[in-house]
C-alpha cells in the first residue's frame, strides 16, 4: 500500500492547492492519501472532493501544534469527522496566537534592519490565520536575505535566532482528545525532529498513550533510514500503530515528494488498517 498520510496545501504552509496535491498524489502512485494542514481543516472538503474525483482513496487529516516539555511537537490526526465542533473550537484556539506571534517575529527581524516582514510573509500565506514561519522564510528568500528557506530557518527562525518567538500551543492531552473524540486516530508526527533525551521521549510516548494516542510516524520525509528503524522499535515497544507520510509542502522546497518514501517495515501494524472504515473512495 502506497499510503501518504502527511502533506500541506496553501491552506497552511504548502504552496499547492488541495486539488493539485490530490492530482500529484495520484500521478505518483499514492493509493491512500490525507491532507494534513497545520491547525486547520478548511481544506478537507476540497481534498476529499478532488481525491474522490481522481479515484484516490482518502482519509481526513490535520497536524496540530502542541507544546510538550516546552518543545513544539506535532500531532497528526487521521480519519476524524472534519465537521466535529469540539475539534473546530480547539483548532480555532490553537491558530489564535499566530498573528501576534508573527508580529513579534517581525519586530525581532526589524531590529536587524529587515522591515515589513509581517506584511511580506502575509503575501505568501494562502490563509492569513495560518501565518507561519514558512511564510516568513519565503519572504526572506524573495528579498534576497538567504538563498533558500532552509538557510532562512537556520539563520533567523529557529530557537536562539532573532526571528524566533517562543510560543505556547495546545496541550498534548487536548490535541489527542480533540482528534480521538472526533472519531480519529492521533499519531506523533516525525518524532526524530524533537531532539528529546531518552527520558523526555519516554515521557512523550507514555503520556500520548495515556491520553488515547494510537500511532507514530515511522517513515517520513523528516527521517533518515536509521531514524525510521529507531521509531519502528519505539512503535513495537509502546504498542503503537505505524504511519507513513512525506510531509510534502512544495515542489521547490520539499526533498520528499508525495508517494516516494520507502515502505513501512513489514512487521509493523499500519495505522490505516485500523482506519479502514473511515476511508472514503468513489463507489
Ligand atoms: P510554525 O508552525 O509557524 O512554527 O512553522 C513550522 C513549519 O516550518 C514546519 O511545519 C515546517 O514546514 C517548517 N520548518 C520548520 N523547521 C524548518 C527547517 N529547519 N527548515 C525548513 N522548514 C522548516
Ligand atoms: Mn509546515
Ligand atoms: Mn510537522
Ligand atoms: Mn507537516
Amino acid at each position: 500500500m502506497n499510503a501518504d498520510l502527511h502533506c500541506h496545501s496553501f491552506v497552511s504552509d504548502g504552496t499547492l492547492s488541495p486539488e493539485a496535491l490530490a492530482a500529484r498524489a495520484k500521478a505518483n502512485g499514492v493509493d491512500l492519501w490525507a491532507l494534513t494542514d497545520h491547525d486547520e481543516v478548511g481544506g478537507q472538503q476540497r481534498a476529499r472532493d478532488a481525491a474522490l474525483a481522481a479515484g484516490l482513496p482518502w482519509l481526513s487529516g490535520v497536524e496540530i501544534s502542541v507544546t510538550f516539555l516546552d518543545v513544539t511537537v506535532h500531532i497528526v490526526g487521521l480519519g476524524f469527522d472534519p465537521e466535529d465542533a469540539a475539534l473546530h473550537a480547539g483548532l480555532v484556539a490553537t491558530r489564535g496566537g499566530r498573528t501576534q506571534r508573527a508580529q513579534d517575529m517581525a519586530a525581532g527581524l526589524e531590529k536587524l534592519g529587515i522591515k515589513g516582514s509581517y506584511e511580506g510573509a502575509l503575501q505568501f500565506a494562502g490563509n492569513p490565520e495560518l501565518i507561519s514561519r514558512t511564510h516568513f522564510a519565503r519572504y526572506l528568500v524573495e528579498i534576497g536575505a538567504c538563498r533558500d528557506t532552509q538557510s532562512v530557518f537556520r539563520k533567523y527562525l529557529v530557537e536562539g535566532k532573532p526571528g524566533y518567538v517562543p510560543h505556547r500551543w495546545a496541550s498534548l492531552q487536548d490535541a489527542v482528545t480533540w482528534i480521538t473524540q472526533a472519531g480519529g486516530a492521533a499519531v506523533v508526527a516525525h518524532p526524530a525532529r524533537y531532539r528529546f533525551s531518552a527520558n523526555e521521549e519516554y515521557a512523550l510516548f507514555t503520556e500520548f498513550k495515556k491520553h488515547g494516542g494510537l500511532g507514530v510516524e515511522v517513515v517520513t520525509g523528516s527521517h533518515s533510514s536509521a531514524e525510521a528503524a529507531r521509531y519502528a522499535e519505539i512503535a513495537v515497544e509502546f504498542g503503537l500503530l505505524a504511519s507513513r507520510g512525506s510531509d510534502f509542502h512544495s515542489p521547490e522546497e520539499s526533498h520528499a515528494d508525495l508517494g516516494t518514501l520507502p515502505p513501512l517495515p513489514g512487521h509493523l501494524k499500519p495505522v490505516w488498517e485500523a482506519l479502514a472504515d473511515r476511508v472514503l473512495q468513489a463507489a
Side-chain angles (χ1 to χ4, degrees), residues 172-190:
L172 180 63
Q173 174 165 13
D174 282 348
V176 172
T177 304
W178 298 332
I179 294 163
T180 309
Q181 296 284 313
V187 173
V188 177
H190 44 61

Side-chain angles (χ1 to χ4, degrees), residues 6-8 12-13 36-38 63 74 76 189-190 193 217 222 246-249:
H6 189 152
C7 70
H8 299 271
S12 63
D13 62 346
T36 55
D37 278 312
H38 296 285
E63 181 175 22
H74 287 170
V76 161
H190 44 61
R193 287 246 300 258
E217 282 184 349
S222 306
S246 57
D247 207 358
F248 179 78
H249 283 70

Side-chain angles (χ1 to χ4, degrees), residues 66-95:
V66 158
T67 302
F68 182 76
L69 301 177
D70 290 331
V71 171
T72 300
V73 166
H74 287 170
I75 302 296
V76 161
L78 297 169
F80 51 84
D81 170 9
E83 309 297 330
D84 184 84
L87 173 65
H88 271 248
L91 295 178
V92 167
T94 306
R95 291 197 293 274

Side-chain angles (χ1 to χ4, degrees), residues 4 13 18 34 39 76 98 146 172 175 195 201 206 213 224 235 244-245 256 263 268 275 279:
D4 194 322
D13 62 346
D39 307 328
V76 161
R98 280 187 179 269
C146 289
L172 180 63
R195 307 286 168 211
E201 187 165 75
T206 303
S224 66
R244 174 179 186 263
L268 300 181
L275 294 169
V279 174

Side-chain angles (χ1 to χ4, degrees), residues 153-218:
F153 271 89
R154 272 199 302 276
K155 193 165 169 195
Y156 296 106
L157 300 181
V158 295
E159 198 169 348
K161 300 298 177 182
Y164 181 80
V165 173
H167 192 73
R168 189 143 295 274
W169 302 103
S171 72
L172 180 63
Q173 174 165 13
D174 282 348
V176 172
T177 304
W178 298 332
I179 294 163
T180 309
Q181 296 284 313
V187 173
V188 177
H190 44 61
R193 287 246 300 258
Y194 310 129
R195 307 286 168 211
F196 280 134
S197 69
N199 282 343
E200 290 166 337
E201 187 165 75
Y202 184 85
L204 170 66
F205 285 108
T206 303
E207 285 211 26
F208 175 72
K209 284 274 293 191
K210 185 176 88 186
H211 299 312
L214 286 179
V216 57
E217 282 184 349
V218 171

